[in-house]
Amino acid sequence: MRPEILFPLFAPLRSLPGIGPRLAALMQSAIGGPNVVDLLWHFPAGIIDRRFSPVLKDVPEGDALATVTVEIDAHLVPRNPRQPYRIRTHDETGSLTLVYFRGHEEHLKRLLPAGETRIVSGRIQRYDGELQMTHPDQVGKPEDRHIVAAVEPVYRLTAGLAQSIVQKAMRVALERTPELPEWLDAPLVAREGWVPWRMAVHEAHAPASEVDVLPTTLARRRLAYDELLANQLALLLIRERSRRRAGRSIRGDGRLRNAVLAALPYRLTAAQEVALNEILNDMAAPNRMLRLLQGDVGSGKTVVALLAMLAAIECGLQAALMVPTEILARQHLRVIEDLVRPLGVRVSLLTGRDRGRPRQETLRRLAAGEIDIVIGTHALLQEGVEFRDLGLVVVDEQHRFGVYQRLALTDGQDKGTDVLVMSATPIPRTLTLTVYGDMDASRLEEKPPGRQPIVTRAIPLERLDEVVTAVRRAVDGGARAYWVCPLVSESETTDLAAAEERYAALRELLGARVDLVHGKMKATDREAALERFATGDVAVLVATTVVEVGVDVPQATIMVIEHAERFGLAQLHQLRGRVGRGAGASSCVLLYAPSLTEAGRARLQILRQTEDGFRIAEEDLRLRGAGEVLGARQSGLPEFRVADLAAHGDLLPVARDDAMRVLHSDPGLATQRGEALRALLYLFERDAAAALIRSG
Ligand code: ADP
Ligand code: MG
C-alpha cells in the first residue's frame, strides 16, 4: 500500500485552491496526470525575468518588461463598457496608467484599491510621453515582492488554461510537498553534488535563468535519477520474482531438433548456434529462464525459437509462441508445420478469431496435451487457456506486449515455465536497460549468408511516374514488389482511400497482378491476399502499414514507400526489412513529398547510409529525443515523467548497478534506506512491483 507520507502528492488536482473540475480537467491534459504529483513533474519550459524594477522615470523607451511599485490614485470607470478601464497610479518620480479592456469594476477595485501601494509587473509603453501598462501580468502587495519581482517559471499549457493559474497551483503544490526520507546512497549524492528530494523539486521549479529550465541541471538530474532507480528496481523485482519460481531442467534428447536441422535447406549461422546454445543451457538449468533474443528483421530468430520449443517437446512438454498479429501467427504456423508435421509434432493455432465450438475444442486439446506447439495472439492470454504442461513460452515482437501481460501468461501455471522474449525492434542500447533491466540477452548480430545489400534511393513524389514504370518493367521480368501507402491522417478511412487510389491506378497499368491489403479487411481476405503474393499469383502488393511486422516473402525484392517522410526511422527500417530476404538483389524506393523538413531529410539520409538496425535506432533516438521514441504508446516501452534519456542516459547504468546492489544486500527492502526506496517505488507509481517485495 502507498505510504501515508505520499498522500498529499497523490491528492487530486481538485484539492488545490481555485481548481475546480473544469480547470482540473484542463490541467490534467496539459500535465498528463490527475494528481498533485503530476503537476510537480510538469517542469518549466521557460522563464520570464521580472527582476527589473526601476522607478517610473527610469523606465526605458519602447516595450519594456518592468516591475514597478506604485500608489493607486483613481479608477476611471468608462461610461461605455467598450471603452478601456483606466487606473491612474504614481511613484515619487512619475505616473503610470494601468489599462484594462473589458475591466470588471468590482474586481479591479478589490485588486487595486485607491490610496494603497501595489507592485505591478508587465510591459510598459509610452503614449505621448505618458506611461501605460495594459493588463499587468502580475499584481501584488508590497510584501509579495519576492513573488512578483522574481524570475517566473513559464509552463506549457493547454488551450483555456492560463499561465497564472498553473503558477499559483504549482506554488501551493510545492508548499504541500513533504520532506521525504532520502532513498539515495549518501556517497552518490555527495559525488554528484545533489540536494535532498524536496529541495530538488523546489529548485526545478525556481529557475533563475534560461539554463535552469534544461534537463541537465543538478536538480533535474537528481529527480531523473530517482525515476531511473525506481524503474530499475521495479524491473529487478519482477525478474527476481519470476526467478524465484522454481524452474525445472528441460533437456531433450535432440531427436526432433536433429531431424529439423537435417531438413532445413541451410545451416545455422554461428550467431544462431551461439544464441541457441545459450537458450538450451538456460532451459537445462534448474531455474526458470527469462531470456531476450534480440535480432534485426530477417536475422533468423524464428528457427532458433523453433529449435528451443522442440527441446521442450522432446521432454514431453508443450510450447507456446505468442505473436502480435493474426497474420504473423498464420505465417509462423505455415513455416513451422511444414518442418515439424513429418515428425509427428502437433501444431495448432489459437487467435481471437477462434470462437465457440472450435475454440472449445482447441482449449480441450491444449489441456489434454494433444497439442505440442500452440501459436497464437493475445488470445493465448485469455482466461480458460490451460495447458497440460507448458515448458516454454516464446513471445515474439515483445514490444507490443506489456511486461505484466507477459507474466500473466505464465501466472497460474506454477510450473516455472521458461520464457523467451524475441525482439526485432532494434532498441537503442540505452533503452534496452529501461525495458528489460538486465534480463539475459542473446543477440543475432550477423545476418544469414547470401543476403545482398538493399539499394535504397530517395526520390521526390513528382517522379512517381518513373517509379511506376520501373516497377512495371521489374514485374514484367518476374519481380515481386510491395507498395506501401502511408498513414495519411489519424483516420483509417482516409489512409485507406489513399491506398485504394494507388491500387486502382496500378491496377490500370498492371491488371490482375496487383492486389491490396489493409487493416480494415477481414483477416481471411488479408491472408488470402498475402498468400497470393507469397505464391507469386500476384506481383505487386499495395498495402497500408499492415505489412510492417514480420511478413516473410523471400522472393519480394522491391519495396516502394510512398510519403516516406511521414514514417519514423524505425518503421522505415522494418518496412525495408521485408525485402532483401532472399538471394535476389533488392531495392527500396523512398518516395517523399517536396516539402521535406530538416528532420525528414535527415531520416531518409540515414536510411540510405546504413542497414544496421541498431545504428538506425541510435540515430532515431538522437534525432527525435527519447520522449518520442518512447512516446508511441503501443511501443510498450516505459514512459518516463522526469527522465529524458537523451539527457540522462548516462545515469541509467548507475541506477541499474545501484538497484542490483540494493536488492543484493537488502532483498526485503527492510533497512532504513530500503524503507525509503519503497516510498520511491510508490512515488513513481511502480505499485505492482512494490507489492512483490519479499516480506521479511
Ligand atoms: P526474423 O524472425 O529474425 O525476422 P526469420 O526467422 O523470419 O527472421 O528469418 C528470415 C529468413 O531467413 C527466413 O526466410 C529464414 O528461412 C531464413 N534463414 C534463417 N536462418 C537462416 C540461415 N542460417 N541461413 C539462411 N537462411 C536463413
Ligand atoms: Mg520474425
Side-chain angles (χ1 to χ4, degrees), residues 301-302 332 396-397:
K301 295 183 293 297
T302 312
H332 279 303
D396 190 9
E397 311 284 3

Side-chain angles (χ1 to χ4, degrees), residues 514-535:
V514 187
D515 218 332
L516 174 67
V517 284
H518 56 77
K520 281 209 164 166
M521 265 164 111
K522 280 218 312 253
T524 36
D525 295 343
R526 205 155 64 205
E527 277 141 28
L530 283 171
E531 185 68 39
R532 287 193 295 275
F533 184 63
T535 55

Side-chain angles (χ1 to χ4, degrees), residues 191-442:
R191 191 181 77 214
E192 298 286 337
W194 288 339
V195 296
W197 181 77
R198 183 172 195 273
M199 204 185 285
V201 174
H202 277 252
E203 276 182 19
H205 286 283
S209 69
E210 291 287 350
V211 293
D212 292 342
V213 302
L214 299 177
T216 43
T217 60
L218 284 177
R220 288 278 290 277
R221 278 176 69 80
R222 192 231 135 102
L223 299 174
Y225 185 81
D226 290 342
E227 185 172 37
L228 294 173
L229 183 59
N231 165 259
Q232 290 300 303
L233 212 48
L235 285 168
L236 285 182
L237 284 166
I238 290 166
R239 193 189 75 156
E240 277 307 309
R241 192 205 43 171
S242 88
R243 284 233 172 120
R244 256 184 291 131
R245 296 269 190 76
R248 60 178 152 191
S249 173
I250 299 175
R251 211 192 287 268
D253 57 10
R255 154 180 66 86
L256 298 172
R257 280 170 284 160
N258 289 335
V260 164
L261 284 171
L264 284 176
Y266 52 78
R267 294 169 59 100
L268 293 188
T269 64
Q272 284 170 319
E273 296 268 10
V274 170
L276 180 61
N277 279 327
E278 287 169 343
I279 294 163
L280 293 175
N281 282 339
D282 279 3
M283 290 172 68
N287 337 35
R288 181 177 194 192
M289 170 171 81
L290 188 55
R291 181 172 281 276
L292 172 67
L293 176 59
Q294 251 185 324
D296 212 341
V297 275
S299 58
K301 295 183 293 297
T302 312
V303 68
V304 173
L306 173 62
L307 291 165
M309 290 195 282
L310 290 176
I313 293 157
E314 284 162 5
C315 298
L317 305 176
Q318 294 165 293
L321 172 58
M322 187 159 117
V323 300
T325 66
E326 175 109 27
I327 291 188
L328 262 181
R330 287 185 186 273
Q331 181 181 300
H332 279 303
L333 178 76
R334 201 166 49 215
V335 171
I336 289 175
E337 260 199 330
D338 283 352
L339 284 167
V340 303
R341 180 165 300 143
L343 308 173
V345 175
R346 297 156 298 178
V347 188
S348 203
L349 202 66
L350 182 66
T351 72
R353 213 202 301 156
D354 298 308
R355 298 228 171 76
R357 189 134 332 126
R359 178 168 184 272
Q360 287 310 321
E361 176 59 11
T362 305
L363 295 184
R364 188 197 61 74
R365 290 172 56 221
L366 270 180
E370 292 168 21
I371 293 172
D372 300 307
I373 297 180
V374 63
I375 302 172
T377 56
H378 275 84
L380 286 174
L381 297 174
Q382 281 161 5
E383 240 167 275
V385 181
E386 267 167 37
F387 295 84
R388 188 178 64 84
D389 200 352
L390 183 62
L392 173 67
V393 176
V394 181
V395 183
D396 190 9
E397 311 284 3
Q398 90 82 33
H399 60 293
R400 311 255 161 159
F401 299 109
V403 176
Y404 297 106
Q405 279 177 309
R406 287 196 327 257
L407 288 171
L409 181 64
T410 50
D411 241 352
Q413 342 247 356
D414 222 51
K415 296 201 166 132
T417 303
D418 286 332
V419 177
L420 178 67
V421 173
M422 299 201 290
S423 171
T425 322
I427 300 171
R429 277 168 224 282
T430 40
L431 295 192
T432 314
L433 261 183
T434 70
V435 185
Y436 303 106
D438 67 338
M439 189 190 271
D440 302 310
S442 300

Side-chain angles (χ1 to χ4, degrees), residues 90-154:
H90 75 278
D91 71 2
E92 60 275 24
T93 68
S95 60
L96 168 73
T97 304
L98 307 178
V99 180
Y100 287 88
F101 294 95
R102 286 189 297 275
H104 192 282
E105 182 177 354
E106 209 179 311
H107 166 71
L108 289 174
K109 284 192 166 156
R110 226 179 314 119
L111 188 67
L112 295 150
E116 295 206 11
T117 301
R118 287 289 180 268
I119 304 175
V120 295
S121 183
R123 303 218 162 259
I124 298 182
Q125 286 146 334
R126 268 168 216 276
Y127 288 108
D128 305 326
E130 193 198 344
L131 293 182
Q132 277 194 6
M133 185 188 287
T134 306
H135 290 271
D137 302 327
Q138 299 271 0
V139 177
K141 296 182 180 164
E143 61 266 32
D144 295 332
R145 160 160 295 279
H146 64 286
I147 296 175
V148 180
V151 176
E152 182 183 303
V154 175

